[in-house]
Protein backbone atom coordinates (compact mmCIF):
# COMPACT_ATOMS: atom_id res chain seq x y z
CA UNK A 1 0.00 0.00 0.00
CA UNK A 2 1.34 3.41 -0.96
CA UNK A 3 0.70 6.72 0.75
CA UNK A 4 -0.46 9.88 -0.98
CA UNK A 5 -0.70 13.45 0.24
CA UNK A 6 -3.85 15.34 -0.71
CA UNK A 7 -3.07 19.05 -0.36
CA UNK A 8 -5.97 21.48 -0.08
CA UNK A 9 -5.22 24.65 -2.06
CA UNK A 10 -7.19 27.46 -0.46
CA UNK A 11 -7.56 30.91 -2.02
CA UNK A 12 -6.18 33.88 -0.12
CA UNK A 13 -8.94 36.29 0.82
CA UNK A 14 -12.19 36.56 2.71
CA UNK A 15 -13.51 33.62 4.69
CA UNK A 16 -16.74 32.13 3.31
CA UNK A 17 -20.01 32.76 5.15
CA UNK A 18 -20.67 30.58 8.24
CA UNK A 19 -23.44 28.60 6.51
CA UNK A 20 -21.06 27.78 3.64
CA UNK A 21 -18.37 26.65 6.09
CA UNK A 22 -20.89 24.51 7.97
CA UNK A 23 -21.88 22.70 4.76
CA UNK A 24 -18.23 22.15 3.83
CA UNK A 25 -17.62 20.82 7.35
CA UNK A 26 -20.46 18.31 6.97
CA UNK A 27 -19.09 17.14 3.61
CA UNK A 28 -15.58 16.82 5.06
CA UNK A 29 -16.91 14.75 7.97
CA UNK A 30 -18.57 12.42 5.44
CA UNK A 31 -15.37 12.23 3.37
CA UNK A 32 -13.24 11.44 6.45
CA UNK A 33 -15.73 8.80 7.60
CA UNK A 34 -15.57 7.18 4.15
CA UNK A 35 -11.74 7.16 4.30
CA UNK A 36 -11.83 5.46 7.71
CA UNK A 37 -14.39 2.87 6.61
CA UNK A 38 -12.25 2.04 3.55
CA UNK A 39 -9.10 1.68 5.66
CA UNK A 40 -7.49 4.55 3.71
CA UNK A 41 -7.38 7.10 6.56
CA UNK A 42 -3.93 8.04 7.89
CA UNK A 43 -4.21 11.69 8.93
CA UNK A 44 -5.99 14.92 7.98
CA UNK A 45 -6.09 18.45 9.30
CA UNK A 46 -6.46 22.09 8.40
CA UNK A 47 -3.83 24.78 8.76
CA UNK A 48 -4.00 28.33 10.05
CA UNK A 49 -3.44 31.05 7.46
CA UNK A 50 0.02 31.83 6.09
CA UNK A 51 0.21 34.98 8.22
CA UNK A 52 0.63 32.68 11.25
CA UNK A 53 3.70 30.97 9.81
CA UNK A 54 7.31 31.32 10.87
CA UNK A 55 10.06 30.52 8.38
CA UNK A 56 13.44 29.23 9.54
CA UNK A 57 16.17 29.58 6.93
CA UNK A 58 19.79 28.42 7.27
CA UNK A 59 22.37 31.13 6.49
CA UNK A 60 26.11 31.01 7.16
CA UNK A 61 25.86 28.40 9.91
CA UNK A 62 23.01 30.23 11.65
CA UNK A 63 19.24 30.09 11.27
CA UNK A 64 17.30 33.22 10.39
CA UNK A 65 13.74 33.39 11.70
CA UNK A 66 11.13 35.37 9.76
CA UNK A 67 7.47 35.83 10.65
CA UNK A 68 4.79 35.56 8.01
CA UNK A 69 4.43 33.67 4.78
CA UNK A 70 7.47 32.51 2.84
CA UNK A 71 5.94 33.46 -0.48
CA UNK A 72 3.03 35.61 -1.55
CA UNK A 73 0.46 33.93 -3.76
CA UNK A 74 -3.17 33.67 -4.78
CA UNK A 75 -3.47 30.30 -3.05
CA UNK A 76 -2.10 28.82 0.14
CA UNK A 77 -1.85 25.36 1.61
CA UNK A 78 -5.06 25.20 3.63
CA UNK A 79 -4.90 21.62 4.87
CA UNK A 80 -3.55 18.16 4.22
CA UNK A 81 -4.84 14.63 4.17
CA UNK A 82 -2.54 11.62 4.10
CA UNK A 83 -4.22 8.53 2.65
CA UNK A 84 -3.34 4.92 1.92
CA UNK A 85 -4.08 3.88 -1.65
CA UNK A 86 -2.90 0.97 -3.79
CA UNK A 87 -2.01 3.23 -6.72
CA UNK A 88 -2.27 6.73 -8.17
CA UNK A 89 -5.69 6.09 -9.70
CA UNK A 90 -7.13 5.24 -6.29
CA UNK A 91 -5.44 8.29 -4.75
CA UNK A 92 -6.89 10.50 -7.49
CA UNK A 93 -10.35 9.16 -6.69
CA UNK A 94 -9.87 10.17 -3.04
CA UNK A 95 -8.62 13.55 -4.29
CA UNK A 96 -11.75 13.92 -6.43
CA UNK A 97 -13.93 13.27 -3.39
CA UNK A 98 -11.89 15.76 -1.35
CA UNK A 99 -12.30 18.42 -4.05
CA UNK A 100 -16.06 17.92 -4.06
CA UNK A 101 -16.19 18.06 -0.24
CA UNK A 102 -14.04 21.17 0.13
CA UNK A 103 -15.00 22.92 -3.13
CA UNK A 104 -11.26 23.69 -3.45
CA UNK A 105 -8.46 22.43 -5.70
CA UNK A 106 -6.69 19.35 -4.39
CA UNK A 107 -3.11 18.48 -5.28
CA UNK A 108 -2.29 14.76 -5.08
CA UNK A 109 1.32 13.64 -4.57
CA UNK A 110 2.97 10.33 -3.72
CA UNK A 111 4.40 10.39 -0.21
CA UNK A 112 8.10 9.51 0.08
CA UNK A 113 8.91 6.67 2.43
CA UNK A 114 6.68 4.77 4.82
CA UNK A 115 4.16 6.80 6.76
CA UNK A 116 2.76 4.00 8.83
Amino acid sequence: MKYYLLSVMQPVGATPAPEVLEEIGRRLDTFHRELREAGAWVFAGGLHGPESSTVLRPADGEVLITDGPYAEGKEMLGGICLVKAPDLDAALEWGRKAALATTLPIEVRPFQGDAG
Side-chain angles (χ1 to χ4, degrees):
M1 189 70 60
K2 296 178 183 176
Y3 295 87
Y4 292 87
L5 180 67
L6 311 182
S7 302
V8 180
M9 304 310 297
Q10 184 173 333
V12 174
T15 303
E19 60 274 6
V20 172
L21 291 177
E22 287 174 18
E23 178 59 28
I24 290 171
R26 282 191 290 276
R27 289 195 306 261
L28 275 173
D29 288 344
T30 300
F31 171 64
H32 291 161
R33 186 172 49 255
E34 189 177 346
L35 280 170
R36 285 184 178 96
E37 289 170 357
W41 171 269
V42 177
F43 173 82
L47 300 171
H48 289 278
E51 69 282 352
S52 68
S53 68
T54 303
V55 178
L56 294 92
R57 184 178 293 118
D60 301 321
E62 298 293 325
V63 176
L64 302 175
I65 300 173
T66 307
D67 290 334
Y70 173 71
E72 297 294 325
K74 294 180 182 178
E75 293 179 326
M76 65 177 179
L77 181 61
I80 61 170
C81 183
L82 189 60
V83 301
K84 291 185 271 188
D87 54 37
L88 179 59
D89 288 337
L92 290 174
E93 179 59 21
W94 287 121
R96 184 188 73 76
K97 291 178 181 189
L100 291 172
T102 63
T103 71
L104 296 170
I106 303 293
E107 178 185 64
V108 176
R109 286 195 202 185
F111 193 81
Q112 292 184 357
D114 182 18

